[in-house]
Amino acid sequence: MAFRITFHGGAGSVTGSNFLVEGSEGILLVDAGLEQGRDFCVECMYAPFPFDASSIDALVITHAHLDHIGRAPKLVREGFGGKVYMTEATRDLMALMLSDSVSLLAQEAKRYGRDPLYQEADVERLLELVETIPYHEERTVAPGLSIYLRDTGHILGAASVRIKDADGTTVAFTGDLGNSPNPYLRETEMVPDADAVIMEAVYGDRLHEHVDQRVPQLRDALKRALARGGTILMPAFSMERTQLMLYEISNLMEAGEIPKFPVFLDSPLAIGVTDIYEKHAGEYFNDEAKAETRKEGSIFRFPFLTMTPSREDSETIAGEPNPKLIIAGAGMSHGGRIGKWEAKYLPDPKTTLFIVGYQAPGSPGRLLQDGSPKVKLDGREVKVKATVESLTSWSAHADREGLLKFAEGTLPRAKAIFVSIGEPSAQRFLAQRIHDFLGAKAIVPSKDEVWEITKEGATKLS
Ligand SMILES: [Zn+2]
């Protein structure tokens, strides 16, 4: 026997990415995520891990999104004491994201009458266990098991992990795969050396608009918004989407394609993430962005950008004349500073609201995207007179063509491709296409299924 893999999370998208990998001698866990999507399940979130946390030799983290790291401090709380491996950028982003979520989790726990999922001390303990690894460096991390990380181009520091057992059998986990090309992140790397691959399928059944179209769309929408003369609001996810927007807006101003006007980044978390992106630019960016950084100092800052980390700084934005653009979280308008600005400016017909990220069904952001004339923000009802500009092609995930191309790159070595992470319909759609177009064995595992992986292929054990 070489590997036994249990699909504890990711499959069926209930508890976030979480895979147990048993080699012939050692045991690894890949990701310890927290699901925050539509099927969010309170019981699942607070339930103990379905294995003995102290029996795990090491944890490998693919990237710093909460659906891949959100239960890592809980693992430590349950007795895990091994090393935690990830890239250096992921370590920095993870520290920021987990600390930022502590107070939110405490409020949430109070609402559910529970103890918080974890506290600051658990995050600190987790960080003490972290050992960072660069991409492309084979490292032994547990008895008989070594890992090798490759860039997935999804967010800064994101990695796929290829695990090798003592007998040479290999399995790879993709984490999330990027929507390459990205202006500063590197392209998604192929994984040609795994006997079995466990891949994401978030956009397994959808196509993004062509990447070349999205900057002109942003430019034209900004011009229309400026012509309306009011405040421009942009709820944005603090990690990656905000930086991408800053980069493109800066370039459009620089090139004279839009007028220069004040932009406010009103999110302490997004400001912290931007700092981490800048800190790691020299190591992680693609060659063009590295050259640009050397020339300009930062590819995200520009003369008309003001960052407002403190509450007092934030308050001053209200007094600034229009036109002005405010970028803030939360990305789906459920809380955060953007809620305050939406409540103030959405009743004004001169306002433009930009939707630049995925909006989950039922979120205030989705209601606004769908044209609702009123929306509940911070417990009060707000009339919407603003214009909503929906720009849908800025995803950080590969679409169905990108995913199929990635799957093709795993052949002929991969004898089985497991399609996990994502809505069940997207998983099934991608698996069918991998089977039909590539003639490969594609499997959609159910939650808690156990599979044996050898050099010859995959067999379901239970
Ligand atoms: Zn992700």
Side-chain angles (χ1 to χ4, degrees):
M1 192 207 93
F3 284 113
R4 204 161 68 174
I5 297 177
T6 311
F7 292 84
H8 284 304
S13 83
V14 180
T15 50
S17 175
N18 188 216
F19 306 96
L20 185 70
V21 184
E22 296 168 85
S24 40
E25 298 167 49
I27 306 178
L28 293 185
L29 199 63
V30 175
D31 287 342
L34 181 64
E35 182 59 38
Q36 306 170 296
R38 170 164 51 163
D39 302 321
F40 177 76
C41 147
V42 177
E43 286 305 318
C44 312
M45 179 166 93
Y46 289 101
F49 284 94
F51 44 77
D52 176 8
S54 67
S55 70
I56 310 289
D57 292 306
L59 167 67
V60 189
I61 297 287
T62 59
H63 67 287
H65 273 142
L66 284 173
D67 54 341
H68 296 257
I69 59 168
R71 285 186 304 156
K74 182 170 158 34
L75 190 73
V76 174
R77 220 178 208 201
E78 288 186 21
F80 170 76
K83 287 264 181 274
V84 186
Y85 294 93
M86 64 195 73
T87 63
E88 202 181 324
T90 297
R91 192 258 328 265
D92 290 354
L93 290 170
M94 181 180 87
L96 184 67
M97 296 306 283
L98 290 177
S99 298
D100 181 78
S101 61
V102 165
S103 65
L104 208 73
L105 283 173
Q107 289 166 21
E108 215 168 65
K110 212 169 168 186
R111 208 165 55 237
Y112 297 132
R114 308 263 190 160
D115 285 333
L117 203 59
Y118 55 81
Q119 287 166 321
E120 194 64 50
D122 302 306
V123 176
E124 279 165 25
R125 176 91 185 96
L126 173 74
L127 291 169
E128 283 166 16
L129 300 173
V130 171
E131 204 158 289
T132 62
I133 327 188
Y135 295 119
H136 313 140
E137 196 179 298
E138 191 88 35
R139 180 87 60 97
T140 299
V141 297
L145 294 172
S146 64
I147 62 170
Y148 186 84
L149 305 182
R150 289 184 173 99
D151 202 333
T152 68
H154 168 59
I155 61 170
L156 190 82
S160 66
V161 51
R162 198 261 290 121
I163 306 172
K164 192 194 275 179
D165 194 47
D167 73 348
T169 311
T170 50
V171 293
F173 295 81
T174 64
D176 287 340
L177 296 167
N179 183 15
S180 297
N182 173 296
Y184 44 84
L185 297 178
R186 289 191 290 242
E187 300 252 329
T188 306
E189 287 185 81
M190 294 295 146
V191 179
D193 54 0
D195 296 308
V197 175
I198 292 83
M199 70 180 289
E200 68 120 323
V202 171
Y203 282 85
D205 56 353
R206 278 171 288 172
L207 276 176
H208 299 319
E209 251 171 283
H210 199 272
V211 131
D212 294 350
Q213 296 303 311
R214 62 189 197 182
V215 175
Q217 278 173 0
L218 175 67
R219 177 198 61 205
D220 295 347
L222 280 169
K223 281 184 175 169
R224 288 194 293 272
L226 289 167
R228 280 176 210 116
T231 301
I232 308 169
L233 300 175
M234 190 181 275
F237 299 108
S238 0
M239 197 149 58
E240 183 48 29
R241 194 61 39 85
T242 294
Q243 291 72 38
L244 195 51
M245 286 297 134
L246 292 177
Y247 176 83
E248 298 295 1
I249 291 167
S250 160
N251 278 2
L252 287 170
M253 282 190 187
E254 189 68 27
E257 296 215 30
I258 54 169
K260 295 184 162 78
F261 67 98
V263 176
F264 296 91
L265 180 56
D266 189 30
S267 158
L269 183 61
I271 293 168
V273 171
T274 307
D275 287 343
I276 294 172
Y277 266 61
E278 288 171 339
K279 175 183 163 193
H280 292 289
E283 194 185 342
Y284 289 82
F285 283 1
N286 62 34
D287 291 342
E288 301 84 77
K290 275 185 198 169
E292 223 177 311
T293 304
R294 277 195 296 273
K295 210 169 89 201
E296 296 173 18
S298 167
I299 57 170
F300 304 115
R301 288 169 205 257
F302 47 98
F304 288 77
L305 173 68
T306 306
M307 298 196 179
T308 52
S310 73
R311 213 167 276 278
E312 297 77 56
D313 292 338
S314 173
E315 297 300 332
T316 63
I317 299 173
E320 296 289 334
N322 284 323
K324 63 187 170 198
L325 164 63
I326 306 172
I327 305 174
M332 297 189 205
S333 298
H334 50 302
R337 289 190 187 170
I338 198 70
K340 175 182 79 176
W341 299 121
E342 286 174 338
K344 181 175 169 68
Y345 291 115
L346 288 181
D348 179 355
K350 290 211 232 36
T351 300
T352 307
L353 176 77
F354 274 70
I355 303 277
V356 295
Y358 173 73
Q359 306 295 318
S363 65
R366 174 58 80 88
L367 289 174
L368 289 164
Q369 188 175 28
D370 291 346
S372 172
K374 54 188 185 214
V375 66
K376 220 169 181 179
L377 295 165
D378 277 341
R380 61 189 170 121
E381 202 163 271
V382 175
K383 274 206 178 85
V384 184
K385 294 271 169 59
T387 303
V388 178
E389 292 274 9
S390 221
L391 305 174
T392 55
S393 46
W394 293 91
S395 172
H397 284 269
D399 66 5
R400 68 181 206 204
E401 292 309 323
L403 291 168
L404 192 68
K405 195 174 128 208
F406 179 86
E408 192 174 13
T410 69
L411 302 174
R413 173 85 182 252
K415 304 294 181 304
I417 300 174
F418 292 88
V419 180
S420 193
I421 306 180
E423 299 278 332
S425 56
Q427 293 179 17
R428 282 195 299 272
F429 189 88
L430 181 65
Q432 189 66 46
R433 278 168 62 92
I434 290 173
H435 174 268
D436 294 351
F437 288 89
L438 306 177
K441 180 170 177 176
I443 299 151
V444 180
S446 300
K447 186 167 156 50
D448 297 329
E449 265 183 27
V450 185
W451 285 76
E452 185 183 75
I453 310 291
T454 64
K455 283 177 188 163
E456 284 69 46
T459 318
K460 187 173 161 186
L461 298 179
S462 63

